Amino acid sequence: MYYAATAPTYETREAMSPAPCKWFGAGLGHQSSSVPMPGGNPVGLLDWLASWFGGRRRYRDVSGLAEADADLTRERVDTGGGPLKPQHLRQAVRDARLLPKPQPTAGMWVPGQKKKVMSQREADRLFSATFRTCNRNLRDLTTDEEQLRRYGLPVWKSEADVARALQISEGQLRHYSIHRQRETSPHYVTFALNKRRGGHRLIHAPKRRLKQLQRTLDALLVKKLPVSTFAHGFRAGRSVASNARQHVGKAIVIKLDLQDCFPSIHFGRVRGLLVALGYSYPVSTTLAVVMTESPRQPVAAEGKIYHVPVGPRVCVQGAPTSPGLCNAVLMRLDRRLAGLAGKHGFTFTRYADDLTFAGDDPAKIKLLLTIAACIVREEGFRLNPQKTRVLRQGARQRVTGVVVNDQPGLSRTERRKLRAAIHRLDPADEAACRRIEGKLAYLQMLNPDQAAPLRSAFVAARGRG
């Protein structure tokens, strides 16, 4: 069990004390205002009273930590409940059960009976390898309900609340939210798809039960996460058409691409996003594990086939929650790049991992490319140099497959091919009819004026049958 002592203790004095006053000559915590206590350790009178009537300070022993300062042996824990970071609204509400327990001084009486603060099952979960972190300031965070309501997110204070919302048991939730070093039956099916320009893309498709959980999480949580107005991918009411319309008729179109966008959004980023939005550390960790996965390699050992992780947990391509998490994590990048574009008279949009700038001043091209690459690196991503394009008005300007030189739509060559397919159409070929009808619907979304004559020709061709 995990226990906490209930006896009051005497805290050591602060290194810095107030100036002396007429009632206590040497100030709070100095030896002249202290009383001898059992064991021969003098303690300030006011500190001694505070140890009995509340207000005890919490300290953490950091002498054995590699990242601690050489001269720092004890670190004071802030339990004031203020902002988690400067100028942030998220409050650092602490779980008192996980705070360092004050140690009794020598010679003090300590009761034999200790108070149990959590069950063995809960302690095993909280201190498991899945919940391990090197950030001491996140470990004991609880839910900031006000912050969650501010963003319109569901208020989940514990794993039991998450399981109840997903309509499964807490044990089933933990089955999917444990990072195992070896899996006998992985939760994902992995396969490769060939890319249009060579290479392949790994797809991790979750199995049926996990996919259903992720779809429920996507509806309850991910779709409600804050997203920038410059994101046009994976959003209701947004499309490649709305993305392309922002860049029509510009002299310069600059296209950039984020390399390995989904694999760059690792487990720590997802957990940190949920913590910043107001969820407790245990809930954020549980949700982050459910929505991420490690690349795994089958290994034969002990007469069995185990699937062991060969990389960090990331947002995988194939999970229903990955696109929404991508938009939420990239919100700060979107705002910084949009600010850069607006400062120099350009427009900016992002569709998935495609970044697009458009403007009329060719002299700004080099400056935009340099600063944009720096911002992308600072946000923890990389640009793919092979997909960087600068398109001028004299050539075809294509943004996410849409030509934007004068008006959004398909190129003249593509419309001619579509017209020829309609001319050769056999009305009895239902598959060909559905294929052409889909292309016409796509063109109707991009540019109704371009689609109207082709649709009339298609109706006439079907009437011939």
Side-chain angles (χ1 to χ4, degrees):
M1 302 295 179
Y2 192 67
Y3 294 97
T6 57
T9 59
Y10 304 106
E11 295 296 328
T12 57
R13 300 184 302 277
E14 291 290 314
M16 300 296 294
S17 300
C21 65
K22 62 180 179 180
W23 292 286
F24 298 97
L28 175 62
H30 284 273
Q31 291 229 357
S32 61
S33 64
S34 62
V35 295
M37 301 308 298
N41 295 326
V43 178
L45 176 60
L46 296 184
D47 285 347
W48 177 76
L49 293 174
S51 69
W52 282 92
F53 297 103
R56 292 178 295 173
R57 299 181 177 93
R58 304 278 185 168
Y59 293 91
R60 182 188 291 113
D61 183 5
V62 296
S63 57
L65 300 181
E67 68 272 15
D69 296 336
D71 297 333
L72 183 65
T73 59
R74 293 205 312 160
E75 179 183 72
R76 182 174 175 179
V77 181
D78 182 13
T79 58
L84 183 60
K85 292 183 179 180
Q87 301 180 350
H88 280 218
L89 296 178
R90 207 286 193 213
Q91 301 299 302
V93 187
R94 303 290 179 182
D95 186 348
R97 302 175 304 170
L98 300 177
L99 292 175
K101 303 303 181 287
Q103 298 298 320
T105 56
M108 284 190 58
W109 170 77
V110 178
Q113 186 66 25
K114 294 182 179 180
K115 179 182 177 182
K116 185 172 75 171
V117 297
M118 67 178 65
S119 65
Q120 181 70 46
R121 178 182 174 86
E122 186 178 5
D124 290 342
R125 175 67 170 168
L126 287 175
F127 298 101
S128 64
T130 303
F131 279 64
R132 188 172 298 157
T133 178
C134 61
N135 192 333
R136 304 189 297 275
N137 293 321
L138 296 181
R139 186 66 184 82
D140 51 12
L141 284 178
T142 57
T143 304
D144 186 348
E145 298 183 39
E146 183 180 349
Q147 175 90 331
L148 293 176
R149 292 192 179 96
R150 189 182 301 121
Y151 285 111
L153 300 175
V155 178
W156 294 333
K157 299 180 182 180
S158 64
E159 288 182 294
D161 293 340
V162 178
R164 195 177 304 111
L166 297 177
Q167 299 181 354
I168 58 175
S169 67
E170 194 171 346
Q172 289 174 321
L173 176 62
R174 291 186 177 182
H175 171 70
Y176 291 107
S177 59
I178 294 179
H179 177 69
R180 298 178 178 87
Q181 292 300 327
R182 56 181 190 177
E183 286 269 14
T184 56
S185 179
H187 298 310
Y188 291 79
V189 176
T190 305
F191 56 92
L193 294 178
N194 293 328
K195 293 184 179 180
R196 183 177 59 182
R197 298 184 179 180
H200 61 276
R201 176 179 289 106
L202 283 180
I203 303 297
H204 295 75
K207 294 182 179 178
R208 181 177 57 85
R209 295 184 64 187
L210 178 57
K211 180 179 287 188
Q212 183 59 43
L213 287 182
Q214 291 179 342
R215 284 176 174 169
T216 305
L217 271 178
D218 186 54
L220 295 178
L221 174 66
V222 177
K223 287 184 177 178
K224 299 178 181 179
L225 296 176
V227 180
S228 75
T229 58
F230 309 99
H232 290 260
F234 317 121
R235 297 186 63 188
R238 301 288 185 93
S239 63
V240 293
S242 65
N243 180 69
R245 290 191 192 105
Q246 309 298 318
H247 310 294
V248 174
K250 301 295 184 179
I252 303 295
V253 174
I254 303 174
K255 297 168 58 178
L256 306 175
D257 181 84
L258 297 178
Q259 186 171 1
D260 299 328
C261 181
F262 278 11
S264 298
I265 303 174
H266 52 74
F267 164 81
R269 280 184 167 178
V270 177
R271 182 179 62 187
L273 170 68
L274 296 174
V275 167
L277 291 175
Y279 287 106
S280 66
Y281 178 83
V283 170
S284 301
T285 303
T286 298
L287 294 173
V289 175
V290 172
M291 296 187 290
T292 58
E293 173 60 335
S294 299
R296 293 182 180 269
Q297 181 73 32
V299 174
E302 303 172 355
K304 297 181 181 179
I305 300 296
Y306 295 103
H307 299 265
V308 299
V310 292
R313 296 188 72 94
V314 298
C315 287
V316 294
Q317 299 188 56
T321 53
S322 293
L325 289 174
C326 174
N327 278 340
V329 171
L330 288 172
M331 183 172 68
R332 190 170 72 171
L333 174 65
D334 291 344
R335 290 178 173 178
R336 294 186 66 183
L337 292 178
L340 169 67
K343 181 179 179 179
H344 298 284
F346 277 65
T347 59
F348 166 78
T349 61
R350 179 181 59 82
Y351 189 92
D353 57 356
D354 294 327
L355 313 176
T356 307
F357 297 86
D360 297 317
D361 188 357
K364 300 289 187 179
I365 295 176
K366 184 176 181 180
L367 177 65
L368 278 175
L369 289 175
T370 302
I371 300 180
C374 181
I375 292 175
V376 169
R377 285 195 304 270
E378 289 176 355
E379 293 297 324
F381 295 89
R382 293 179 298 164
L383 290 178
N384 187 347
Q386 298 180 351
K387 293 187 178 181
T388 300
R389 298 284 186 274
V390 177
L391 309 175
R392 302 179 185 271
Q393 207 164 25
R396 181 181 298 169
Q397 296 173 327
R398 190 189 295 270
V399 176
T400 56
V402 183
V403 177
V404 295
N405 288 73
D406 299 317
Q407 56 183 342
L410 296 179
S411 65
R412 186 175 303 171
T413 302
E414 292 170 319
R415 282 180 281 145
R416 285 176 176 173
K417 289 182 180 179
L418 183 55
R419 185 180 297 110
I422 294 173
H423 180 73
R424 297 191 304 266
L425 177 65
D426 180 4
D429 190 349
E430 290 296 331
C433 290
R434 288 195 298 269
R435 187 162 52 249
I436 292 177
E437 195 166 1
K439 292 181 178 179
L440 288 173
Y442 176 67
L443 182 57
Q444 177 73 25
M445 177 186 69
L446 299 180
N447 192 323
D449 294 336
Q450 291 181 357
L454 294 175
R455 183 167 291 279
S456 299
F458 176 66
V459 172
R462 296 201 71 174
R464 293 196 303 265

